Amino acid sequence: MKISEQWLREWVNPNNDTQALADQLTMAGLEIDDIESVAADFSGVIVGEVITVEQHPDADKLRVTQVNINADEPLQIVCGAPNVTLGMRVPVATIGAKLPTQDGKGFNIKKSKLRGVESQGMLCGASEINLPDVVDGLLELPADAPIGVDIRKYLGLDNKVLDISITPNRGDCFSVRGIAREIGVINGLPVTAPKIVMQQGEVEATQSVTVEATDACPRYLAQPILNIDRAIETPDWMQKALLQSGQRLHNFLVDVTNYVLFELGQPLHAFDADKLVGNIRVRISKEGETLQLLNEQAITLKGDELVIADDEGIVALAGIMGGMRTSVTDTTTNIVLESAFFDPLAIAGRARRFGLHTDASQRFERGVDFELPMMALNRAVNIISSVAEAKAGHITAIENDQKLPKRAAVKLPLTKVSEVIGINLEKRRIIEILTQLEIKVQEQQQDGVTILSCLPPSHRFDLEIKEDLIEEIARIYGYDNIPSTLPNLGVDMRYDDTADLTYRLKLAMVDAGYMEAISFSFSDEKMEQVLDDPKLGNVLALANPISADLAVMRRTLLSSLIPCVQYNLNRQQPRIRFFETGLSFIGATIDELVQTPSLAIVATGDINPEQAHSNRAMDFFDLKHDVEQLLPSTLVDSRIHYQRSEMTFLHPGQSAELLIDGKTVGWLGQLHPSVAQKLDLPTTWVAQLDLEPILVEARTTQDIVSPSKFPQVRRDIALMVQAEIPRQELSKTIRDAGGELLQQHWLFDVYQGEHTPKGMRSVAFALIWQDYTQTLSDERVNESMQRVIEALQSQHGAQLRDS
């Protein structure tokens, strides 16, 4: 926010220069981004009065003037400006004056001759002294401008403009009043506010108002102002304040509302009273309603926007921008002035939805003092009445105290202050600081500890917990006044290897041909609906999303990865391999939210990049292989189990859940064809694992065992089993029956076809037997093999294929 230093010093004027003032604000948490001069550097320009104007004897477009600068003799100056007139007061660049140029070097005024006539200076337009041109020609000064006074002093061009970075929690500082309040507290000075009085009933006029959306608008004020003299232009002091604060000038009435906005921080809106039809209604829009805004943009509303309407329809987007139909023009003489408190949640995100960013929405989104509307309304009425001789009607105030924000007292133990800041401040000084900040303080005793009960003022929405109050005490006391001391930290020598182990998993994915994606934790609600499943729980919606397509928290990392796949497919990349690590969020509220560190992968296309030799499409077993590269080597096969997945967005016959010790740690499979079709994707393979159980296994150490010096014995077994019996159940039976001598086993053949009975299939396993203490005899191996065969026959009805 840009703010004029001169305007600021009218409210509070500490005895320090511009840079010191800027340093104070920065150390108080209001960082100064830049200090700008109102005008470029120039000198030798003073106020002069044109006392004669004569035609140049040798040039039709030039005039020879005599100019009084309050010196011994008037100056003769040749001028080509079309608006030079007798008696006007203008800036005069005298001999030796230095005027600004675009290259910054400047140029000096010298005595010269123009078409044979001597010229002892130059009459200046606005652009010659680095001000915006309003007219084509000379800058005409008011008739009472003091002759001979330096123009920089008269126009306040030595003034500076402070560009202040306001953090989102300090909406109370978006005004001269807010910044002055801070400076006053820092320097221990009183703030001098302009005198504001309530004016109403000067004319019998009232505006009827109905507030339907009391939650979104618990306070709404409206006041008619009639018989405004529109021959009056915006006063110079107001023009100067607005221009130096980076605002464009419009017309007197609009300039007044902008002036009060920057002065007090309360957005106002003026309706043309003659264009309003019937009552004002504050309500929620209906889907499909339209409005043409003041910037001539036509918008279609979605049904959740707070609007101001009359009997003919919507006239303003509340807290954001007014409508064209009831706009104030240069001929408007009767207005209805609006001043209201709108709940921040009712305004947040609505301006961005329509590509708007206004001074009003910026303030309402952060929170405006709910006690400010009446003061701001009165201030605007005072200005309009005094400048344009207007008459004020009656104020209509619709208020619902139950819906207004409630300020709750915050308990602050004095011991907590010294504990956090690191120094012992006197109780008197702490109470003094809090009181200066307009915080009502009551001292209490609880179990021998002094507690300060602190009630924040209405403009400080950000003071909610004791740490907020301690921050206020520290910044007003002065961070520079707090000595630097080394913290007393207990050193924990335990090393958290989470980052290192996660990095190893990432390297494994890169080795498998995948590329890492890094994306927001936010996702599109439409994507969450497509990837919906009861196991994923509810979606957490954001109160103030950065955009409409990032409005909810992702429940699965696929919500972030799939848009990356779509983006690359649209750019002719048929083979895609992505992975991402991050948090998934399950739960519809903050209280029930569960955040799970996860790793997800997505793949489309062939198993290998395009090449000359044979290639094939990726299948489930390729995906399973990639997933198993993430499992630690210490994790033995007996602890790993797969079962059919019932995730609704996965293909029922091409998906599985991964279990370790019977607990689900993830899922993998093909994206369901119907889901892929909705997302315009080809056959797509996806997986997601919970990182925590994988990292726990990776931390597990394994004893090193010397390999046996005795030979292995391999025996193969071929079985005929029911086709629906999973391989994992057969493996478990073999493992349990084989005992400690069975070191390994694996499935090496599966056959199901015309040579097998219906509903049956042939499977063949290899079994490796070995003893670490002696050479195995055929007898011991045969006994073990027999136990395995009998277990398979009894538990699964298996038949040896040779029998």
Side-chain angles (χ1 to χ4, degrees), residues 463-489:
L463 302 182
E464 296 181 334
I465 57 177
K466 57 181 177 291
E467 286 77 11
D468 294 332
L469 297 175
I470 295 172
E471 179 187 3
E472 294 299 295
I473 295 168
R475 72 183 187 87
I476 299 303
Y477 179 75
Y479 295 123
D480 289 338
N481 297 324
I482 300 175
S484 299
T485 57
L486 292 175
N488 182 18
L489 299 176

Side-chain angles (χ1 to χ4, degrees), residues 637-695:
D637 292 346
S638 61
R639 299 175 57 199
I640 303 171
H641 183 67
Y642 292 92
Q643 67 182 28
R644 186 184 299 274
S645 174
E646 296 180 355
M647 303 286 278
T648 56
F649 56 85
L650 296 180
H651 192 302
Q654 294 285 322
S655 60
E657 290 184 3
L658 172 62
L659 296 87
I660 297 177
D661 296 334
K663 295 181 179 180
T664 301
V665 298
W667 41 262
L668 63 153
Q670 180 186 337
L671 209 58
H672 197 288
S674 63
V675 173
Q677 184 177 12
K678 288 180 183 178
L679 299 173
D680 197 22
L681 295 174
T683 299
T684 303
W685 301 94
V686 296
Q688 179 166 307
L689 303 178
D690 294 346
L691 278 178
E692 187 56 35
I694 305 298
L695 298 182

Side-chain angles (χ1 to χ4, degrees), residues 415-479:
T415 54
K416 188 68 175 178
V417 178
S418 58
E419 178 185 326
V420 174
I421 297 179
I423 60 174
N424 291 318
L425 290 179
E426 294 181 4
K427 178 179 68 175
R428 177 191 58 80
R429 179 59 176 143
I430 292 174
I431 294 176
E432 181 183 73
I433 291 174
L434 294 174
T435 303
Q436 288 176 330
L437 290 167
E438 302 180 36
I439 298 171
K440 296 179 180 178
V441 182
Q442 288 185 343
E443 187 176 343
Q444 301 173 350
Q445 295 293 324
Q446 182 176 326
D447 299 329
V449 177
T450 301
I451 306 290
L452 299 182
S453 178
C454 305
L455 184 65
S458 58
H459 60 270
R460 292 302 300 270
F461 289 91
D462 59 317
L463 302 182
E464 296 181 334
I465 57 177
K466 57 181 177 291
E467 286 77 11
D468 294 332
L469 297 175
I470 295 172
E471 179 187 3
E472 294 299 295
I473 295 168
R475 72 183 187 87
I476 299 303
Y477 179 75
Y479 295 123

Side-chain angles (χ1 to χ4, degrees), residues 251-296:
N251 59 58
F252 170 61
L253 294 176
V254 175
D255 291 343
V256 169
T257 60
N258 285 338
Y259 182 84
V260 174
L261 167 71
F262 276 85
E263 183 183 53
L264 302 181
Q266 171 68 46
L268 303 173
H269 186 69
F271 300 100
D272 189 321
D274 298 324
K275 297 176 183 176
L276 279 173
V277 180
N279 296 344
I280 285 179
R281 293 172 58 209
V282 184
R283 60 176 176 83
I284 300 299
S285 66
K286 300 172 185 176
E287 186 175 3
E289 286 187 297
T290 60
L291 172 66
Q292 186 176 22
L293 298 170
L294 288 174
N295 63 358
E296 300 185 358

